[in-house]
Amino acid sequence: MRRLSFSRSGSKNGEMNEGSKEGKIEWEMRPGGMLVQKRCEVPDGSLAPTVRLRVAYGAFRYDISADPQSTFGELKKLLSSETGLQPGEMSISFRGKERENGDYLDNCGVKDRSKVVVIEDPTSRERKFFEMRKKEKIQSAHRAISDISIEIDKLSEQISSIEKSIANGKSVLEVQIATLIELLMRQVVKLERIPTEGEATSHKTIQVS
C-alpha cells in the first residue's frame, strides 16, 4: 500500500508549509486507487477490532462484520455479494444521512450493532427495468418465430409431398395446391411482422429466406 506524506501548519496567512513536523498528515493509497488519510495504527501492533453491523436492504436484513477504520466505499464492496448490487449501484445511509465512499465508519460514529441502510441507486434500478423489458421482448419474439416456423415447416412438407405426387404422374386438385400456398404465405407475412432485434432478427431472416 503506497503512502504519501503532506504537512500542515497554521501560519497567520493560512498557508500550507511542507516539511513541518507539526500537523503532519499521511495519506495512503487504498486498493482500487482511492487516496485516503492514513489511520492511526493500533499501538501494540495487534489487528484492529471488527464491529458487527446490522444491514437493511429493502425487506432483507443482514449481519456483517467490518473494520471500523474502513471506509463506506470498502463496506459497499463487502455488501456487494449479499445484496447482488455492484458498489456503484448502491448508496449507504447511516443515522439518516447518505455517506460518501471516503467517509470512515468510526469517524461517522459507527459502532458494534449499528444499523446501516442500503439503497439501490434509482438510475441503476431504472436501467435494470429496461434491460428486463428488452429481454422479455426478445424472448417473446423468439417464441413467436418458433411457433410460426413450425407451421411453415408443416405446410412446406405438404407442398413437397404434392410435388412428388405430381412428378409421379398422380393428379392433384389445383385448389388443394392453391390453398396450401395461401396458408404458407400467411405464415410468412406473420413472421415478417414480428418486431425483432439482435439474435431474434437473424432467426427471423433465416426462416423467411
Side-chain angles (χ1 to χ4, degrees):
M1 187 180 294
R2 288 195 298 150
R3 293 175 177 171
L4 304 176
S5 296
F6 298 91
S7 60
R8 176 174 59 191
S9 63
S11 64
K12 292 182 179 179
N13 295 328
E15 297 177 349
M16 304 294 289
N17 298 323
E18 284 193 5
S20 171
K21 293 184 179 179
E22 182 182 356
K24 185 177 181 182
I25 299 176
E26 289 192 356
W27 300 80
E28 60 186 15
M29 189 72 71
R30 294 268 183 166
M34 185 184 295
L35 186 64
V36 298
Q37 185 177 342
K38 179 187 173 185
R39 307 310 305 270
C40 296
E41 298 178 355
V42 179
D44 59 2
S46 60
L47 295 174
T50 60
V51 291
R52 195 75 175 169
L53 302 180
R54 295 178 298 139
V55 182
Y57 170 48
F60 300 98
R61 298 294 181 269
Y62 310 99
D63 281 344
I64 190 169
S65 295
D67 180 354
Q69 293 188 354
S70 62
T71 64
F72 278 91
E74 291 166 327
L75 179 59
K76 287 181 180 180
K77 294 178 182 178
L78 289 176
L79 292 170
S80 183
S81 59
E82 295 287 348
T83 61
L85 301 174
Q86 294 299 316
E89 296 176 339
M90 69 175 82
S91 61
I92 298 180
S93 295
F94 175 62
R95 292 179 178 173
K97 180 181 179 182
E98 182 178 345
R99 304 297 172 169
E100 300 294 333
N101 287 338
D103 292 343
Y104 284 97
L105 303 184
D106 56 355
N107 283 352
C108 294
V110 175
K111 299 177 181 179
D112 194 48
R113 303 303 297 168
S114 287
K115 180 181 178 180
V116 296
V117 179
V118 176
I119 303 172
E120 183 177 3
D121 182 72
T123 56
S124 171
R125 188 164 53 246
E126 183 178 354
R127 185 181 67 253
K128 288 182 178 179
F129 172 77
F130 282 114
E131 288 177 352
M132 181 183 66
R133 290 292 301 273
K134 181 179 179 180
K135 185 177 180 180
E136 289 176 350
K137 287 181 179 179
I138 292 175
Q139 290 176 342
S140 177
H142 273 294
R143 286 193 296 268
I145 292 171
S146 296
D147 291 342
I148 293 176
S149 297
I150 292 173
E151 294 300 320
I152 289 176
D153 289 342
K154 289 179 181 178
L155 293 170
S156 297
E157 288 176 1
Q158 293 181 48
I159 292 174
S160 296
S161 179
I162 290 176
E163 289 176 345
K164 289 179 181 178
S165 296
I166 294 174
N168 291 330
K170 294 182 180 180
S171 60
V172 179
L173 294 176
E174 185 177 342
V175 65
Q176 186 177 359
I177 299 174
T179 300
L180 287 175
I181 292 175
E182 182 180 354
L183 291 173
L184 180 62
M185 294 307 299
R186 286 181 181 178
Q187 294 299 324
V188 171
V189 170
K190 285 183 181 179
L191 189 63
E192 290 178 340
R193 288 178 177 175
I194 296 175
T196 59
E197 56 182 280
E199 294 182 0
T201 302
S202 301
H203 188 191
K204 183 174 75 172
T205 302
I206 292 172
Q207 296 300 323
V208 172
S209 59

